[in-house]
Amino acid sequence: MKKILFTLILAVFISANGIAQENLTWHTDMNEAFEIATKENKTLMLFFTGSDWCGWCKRLQKEVLNTNDFEKWAKDKVVLVELDFPRRTPQDPTVKAQNSQMQRMFKVRGYPTIHFAKPEITSEGSKNLNSLGSTGYVRGGTQKWLDVANNIVKVN
């Protein structure tokens, strides 16, 4: 009986603290994400992370990216892209090459880094990413992080 009561209390505590139930789609294919963002007229949110080793990346995910408030904010505003640089987890060579190219393009030097970019197809048919700005971990929780993100993407 005590285990059931503890589990119930824990479930209520977790839901009250706004932990998202992973209802967001994180893309790993830039071409796919670009097409979706272009079609839906959304901004790309590029999350550069070291998923299996970066403590600040894990903290950002726990405090911001895995919350209900972030989910509500992101759902209609951005297309989410995870560009991962794991050390121990095997990664497809195509994804690894794509992520390295994006890292060089955006001059990412540390993790976590989040870049916001507007996709654009030029009159010649080439694809461009127009950088709007970047952020990383922001102290103060979800709302503080969202304030910074809103300032970058100009969404209120």
Side-chain angles (χ1 to χ4, degrees):
M1 182 67 177
K2 287 183 182 180
K3 282 185 179 182
I4 294 172
L5 184 59
F6 176 75
T7 305
L8 183 60
I9 291 170
L10 184 62
V12 169
F13 177 76
I14 288 172
S15 64
N17 281 306
I19 302 209
Q21 299 300 312
E22 298 191 29
N23 294 323
L24 295 175
T25 301
W26 284 89
H27 299 275
T28 56
D29 181 328
M30 273 302 300
N31 287 323
E32 180 184 336
F34 186 97
E35 296 302 324
I36 293 168
T38 302
K39 180 180 169 188
E40 296 179 4
N41 193 29
K42 291 183 179 178
T43 298
L44 286 163
M45 185 180 125
L46 309 173
F47 176 39
F48 294 87
T49 182
S51 65
D52 66 0
W53 61 269
C54 173
W56 288 105
C57 300
K58 292 175 184 179
R59 192 168 177 180
L60 176 64
Q61 286 183 314
K62 179 183 174 191
E63 294 178 15
V64 178
L65 304 181
N66 292 338
T67 66
N68 288 325
D69 288 341
F70 176 79
E71 181 181 340
K72 288 175 195 166
W73 177 86
K75 192 175 281 188
D76 297 321
K77 294 176 181 62
V78 295
V79 173
L80 302 167
V81 183
E82 182 184 67
L83 301 161
D84 196 10
F85 298 84
R87 291 185 179 163
R88 294 179 299 275
T89 306
Q91 190 174 44
D92 180 90
T94 306
V95 171
K96 191 173 189 172
Q98 167 203 266
N99 293 359
S100 293
Q101 179 184 12
M102 296 303 295
Q103 179 187 35
R104 286 189 303 277
M105 182 187 303
F106 284 94
K107 298 179 172 98
V108 173
R109 303 275 185 255
Y111 305 101
T113 298
I114 295 180
H115 275 275
F116 294 95
K118 259 315 209 190
E120 172 189 61
I121 299 177
T122 65
S123 57
E124 296 84 33
S126 62
K127 296 178 178 180
N128 285 337
L129 291 173
N130 298 314
S131 180
L132 302 175
S134 66
T135 187
Y137 177 81
V138 176
R139 290 188 198 283
T142 308
Q143 196 53 55
K144 294 279 188 187
W145 191 92
L146 290 175
D147 290 345
V148 171
N150 281 329
N151 190 44
I152 294 169
V153 297
K154 306 292 187 253
V155 176
N156 292 314

